[in-house]
Amino acid sequence: MAAAHITADREVVSKTLKVESKLFYLDLKENSRGRYLKISEKAAGTRSTIIVPAMGIGWFIEVLSYYVTNGGAENQIASGSDGNGEGNNAPPAGGLASKELQTETKLFFFDVGENARGRFLRISERGGA
């Protein structure tokens, strides 16, 4: 019986950020299919994770930069979604647009929200491997 050759994902670089009561883990990893960025959020005993393939990391950072640059308190929050889950990519007057980022295997959604504690950016993904 031949032994299966299993290679674990190798961690290239790992950083942890603490923002208020949340912890964010940014792990650049590598496996037989290539490199990827694993972003995890830990808050109130739950952990949420998204995986960004290597070819999408630069675009992902570019979209995040849009929200960091344009997300100041002077901007009014308004949804850029047309109601069917698809962003129209045109910012409403004075607000920030919802955005989508398509990579080879995944679709990422960036949506701005606001609650009693303040403004936040919700990032979700759809797609496989």
Side-chain angles (χ1 to χ4, degrees):
M1 181 170 178
H5 181 66
I6 299 173
T7 57
D9 293 0
R10 184 177 76 83
E11 191 170 277
V12 177
V13 135
S14 183
K15 297 289 181 189
T16 302
L17 301 172
K18 182 165 175 56
V19 179
E20 296 176 0
S21 63
K22 296 183 179 192
L23 282 172
F24 293 92
Y25 302 94
L26 304 157
D27 302 309
L28 181 62
K29 295 192 172 200
E30 185 173 51
N31 62 23
S32 60
R33 296 186 310 197
R35 287 188 173 185
Y36 62 91
L37 180 63
K38 178 180 174 185
I39 303 170
S40 299
E41 169 198 17
K42 186 175 181 186
T46 62
R47 189 175 187 129
S48 301
T49 300
I50 60 173
I51 305 291
V52 183
M55 58 102 30
I57 294 172
W59 296 330
F60 194 88
I61 292 169
E62 190 176 309
V63 173
L64 280 177
S65 295
Y66 162 80
Y67 289 104
V68 169
T69 302
N70 298 301
E74 68 281 357
N75 289 324
Q76 173 188 345
I77 297 296
S79 172
S81 176
D82 57 13
N84 65 6
E86 296 178 11
N88 61 16
N89 289 333
L96 295 173
S98 292
K99 291 196 173 284
E100 295 178 2
L101 171 64
Q102 176 74 55
T103 66
E104 271 185 29
T105 58
K106 294 188 177 193
L107 180 59
F108 294 94
F109 302 93
F110 298 80
D111 298 295
V112 176
E114 190 167 21
N115 61 23
R117 293 177 290 187
R119 186 176 294 167
F120 59 89
L121 178 63
R122 179 183 299 114
I123 303 171
S124 56
E125 70 177 71
R126 183 173 60 204

